[in-house]
Amino acid sequence: MGSKKGVDRRRLLKVTGASVAALGLLAAGCGAGGGSGDGTVTIRYAWWGAEDRSKRIIETIRLFEKKHPKIKVKTDFQPYPDFWKKFNTQASGGNPPDVFQNAVGFLRKYDERNVLLDLNAQVKAGNLSMDNFRAGLDKFGVVDGKLLGVPVGSNSMGLVIDKKVYAKAGVTPEQGWTWDEFDAAAKKIRDKGGRAADSGMYGVMYLYDLVLRQQGKAFFTEKGLGFTEADLTKWWTKAERGVKSGIVADTEKVVQNKPKSAVTAELAAGEFTWDNFTNRYSAEGKSEYGLAPIPTTDGKKTGQYLGSLMLSGSKRTQHPKEVAQFIDFMVHDPGVGKIMGYDRGVLATTEQYEAYKPQDPVNKEIAAYEKSLVDAGVLEQITPHPAGADVCESAFLRIAEELTLGKRSVDEAVEQFFTECKTALGG
């Protein structure tokens, strides 16, 4: 799931080569998973994440190998940007890992490159169960009828706020509030709270997707962009005005404080991001942080959906059965749920969701937030992204930043974005 998300990932997923080596996570080589004379099969598993995530995943692998002694798992762990660089090299060479962490923006891209294993056959063979997934998540990795990814957790866009600043300004967000009400609240936060209201939402692709969905459109269709240059001109004109008026934090200061969040750096009172990133703010900042609902256009429709990290298999694997068994274990086993917690989002299956009961306030709030979305009936299905969506996401974030830094006019920014996306999407 990238956008502000991409910025947060770089913070959350950063890890040094030394710590990787200390964990002993890098695979001994890049050869395809193989077998041995005693019937033992070895598969390769690759993922991105923070050091804590890797420690948890290694623990789950040990649990899997204990219960499946004839399947051994080689691991390959990278920071987010490095993961995809290495993966692209492996995929181009016909040697991707047997099973790997994936996200919706890459499904069509790698399916079109003939990289992803359709897991439907393994479901029919009884090696992988797609039962007991929460809130329709079992459909999240389905593209053109092919099961290309299996969710490990769920998340949704939310507004992370500094509760003390919001209270000082007398602003109480409620489900169904409108963008007009958000704009009025932003002025109160600036004037009474003494801080910009937002960190820079106009480059967050997944937020703009919700705004478009509220209007009956979407950022992507299955083949390309689902909005016009006029739509984006309106959105980015508002961005430019927001920075000039002090409603949006000074972009130069936000950039200078990276990788720290503008919220915890006390430059902004809130920012739109994925709900499972809320843990970041409590770890980074000194205030009290929480989740507020997404503003709406009509007071009802938020356009939200549950996103998810997924596990995918390689079409070139020599061991599709064992890959499926591994994925099945990782998404259904209660012990795995207890180990992983909400590291990759609220647990996707009922077995794991019920096995893990968060004790800390932040994870309790994340779970409550997603439950409120389900109870409110606002969740919809995401549109599968076209091949090249990841390039468009990166361009959206970068060009919006250039705009708010004053390096491009609105018209120049819009033209540049559509030019780059046309190339990325092939039309």
Side-chain angles (χ1 to χ4, degrees):
M1 243 160 223
S3 61
K4 178 76 62 58
K5 178 182 170 188
V7 177
D8 285 345
R9 273 181 172 146
R10 287 191 290 273
R11 163 64 177 160
L12 289 171
L13 311 182
K14 185 179 180 183
V15 63
T16 66
S19 61
V20 173
L23 286 169
L25 300 180
L26 291 179
C30 291
S36 66
D38 65 355
T40 299
V41 165
T42 299
I43 59 175
R44 287 189 295 133
Y45 173 29
W47 72 91
W48 68 83
E51 186 170 319
D52 180 63
R53 173 180 295 175
S54 289
K55 289 178 180 177
R56 292 172 187 264
I57 288 178
I58 291 298
E59 191 175 348
T60 66
I61 290 172
R62 291 189 184 122
L63 183 62
F64 172 79
E65 290 180 331
K66 183 177 180 180
K67 295 187 177 182
H68 295 80
K70 292 294 185 180
I71 306 176
K72 302 301 178 184
V73 183
K74 281 187 177 181
T75 59
D76 190 351
F77 162 52
Q78 305 284 337
Y80 180 75
D82 295 338
F83 174 90
W84 289 111
K85 289 177 185 177
K86 183 171 184 178
F87 184 86
N88 281 326
T89 299
Q90 292 173 328
S92 297
N95 188 37
D98 296 276
V99 60
F100 52 94
Q101 189 168 285
N102 206 351
V104 67
F106 301 95
L107 293 181
R108 284 188 183 275
K109 176 177 181 176
Y110 288 109
D111 182 44
E112 289 186 5
R113 295 184 184 181
N114 212 30
V115 173
L116 301 182
L117 176 67
D118 182 356
L119 290 161
N120 278 317
Q122 296 302 319
V123 174
K124 291 178 182 177
N127 299 319
L128 170 63
S129 171
M130 293 304 294
D131 295 334
N132 301 330
F133 281 83
R134 300 172 39 251
L137 284 170
D138 57 311
K139 306 297 183 185
F140 195 75
V142 176
V143 175
D144 299 331
K146 291 178 283 189
L147 179 59
L148 303 179
V150 181
V152 294
S154 68
N155 47 46
S156 190
M157 288 297 295
L159 171 60
V160 174
I161 63 171
D162 186 318
K163 291 182 177 180
K164 292 181 179 179
V165 177
Y166 264 66
K168 182 179 178 181
V171 175
T172 305
E174 295 182 357
Q175 185 73 38
W177 67 328
T178 65
W179 285 108
D180 288 340
E181 290 171 330
F182 172 81
D183 292 341
K187 292 177 182 177
K188 284 185 179 180
I189 291 166
R190 178 196 61 191
D191 297 340
K192 296 182 179 181
R195 196 178 298 180
D198 182 73
S199 66
M201 65 188 189
Y202 298 99
V204 184
M205 185 194 81
Y206 286 96
L207 174 66
Y208 188 46
D209 184 32
L210 301 190
V211 173
L212 290 167
R213 289 163 69 94
Q214 291 174 13
Q215 302 167 12
K217 301 180 181 182
F219 198 101
F220 292 116
T221 65
E222 293 186 3
K223 296 183 178 181
L225 295 176
F227 61 99
T228 66
E229 293 187 19
D231 292 324
L232 185 55
T233 297
K234 183 178 179 181
W235 181 246
W236 277 350
T237 297
K238 190 175 180 182
E240 189 175 57
R241 291 172 181 166
V243 173
K244 289 179 179 178
S245 68
I247 295 294
V248 177
D250 184 300
T251 307
E252 187 172 350
K253 291 181 180 178
V254 172
V255 172
Q256 288 171 350
N257 276 275
K258 290 178 181 177
K260 193 171 187 178
S261 161
V263 175
T264 56
E266 300 184 354
L267 298 173
E271 64 185 5
F272 292 90
T273 187
W274 297 100
D275 57 14
N276 65 313
F277 285 174
T278 309
N279 285 294
R280 167 194 182 176
Y281 301 88
S282 298
E284 248 183 28
K286 298 178 290 186
S287 190
E288 184 180 357
Y289 309 99
L291 282 163
I294 295 290
T296 67
T297 299
D298 62 1
K300 298 178 181 178
K301 183 181 175 69
T302 67
Q304 284 172 278
Y305 45 80
L306 291 182
S308 178
L309 289 177
M310 292 173 278
L311 295 180
S312 293
S314 164
K315 200 168 188 176
R316 287 181 172 267
T317 182
Q318 299 174 22
H319 307 291
K321 176 182 177 181
E322 287 78 10
V323 164
Q325 290 174 324
F326 178 78
I327 294 174
D328 183 83
F329 184 85
M330 289 297 171
V331 299
H332 288 288
D333 187 82
V336 171
K338 291 178 181 178
I339 293 169
M340 293 305 302
Y342 291 169
D343 178 84
R344 296 176 296 190
V346 178
L347 294 157
T349 61
T350 54
E351 296 99 322
Q352 294 188 348
Y353 181 79
E354 291 172 359
Y356 174 73
K357 301 298 181 184
Q359 301 301 313
D360 62 291
V362 175
N363 279 321
K364 284 183 178 180
E365 185 165 6
I366 293 170
Y369 177 73
E370 290 202 10
K371 185 177 185 301
S372 74
L373 299 180
V374 174
D375 293 345
V378 299
L379 292 174
E380 305 172 3
Q381 289 294 316
I382 188 174
T383 302
H385 293 185
D390 55 321
V391 178
C392 293
E393 179 181 355
S394 296
F396 193 76
L397 174 65
R398 171 175 47 81
I399 295 170
E401 185 175 280
E402 292 170 352
L403 166 68
T404 54
L405 282 170
K407 296 181 178 180
R408 294 183 186 271
S409 68
V410 172
D411 288 343
E412 289 170 342
V414 171
E415 181 180 4
Q416 183 65 27
F417 173 75
F418 272 81
T419 297
E420 291 188 25
C421 274
K422 184 176 181 180
T423 301
L425 300 173

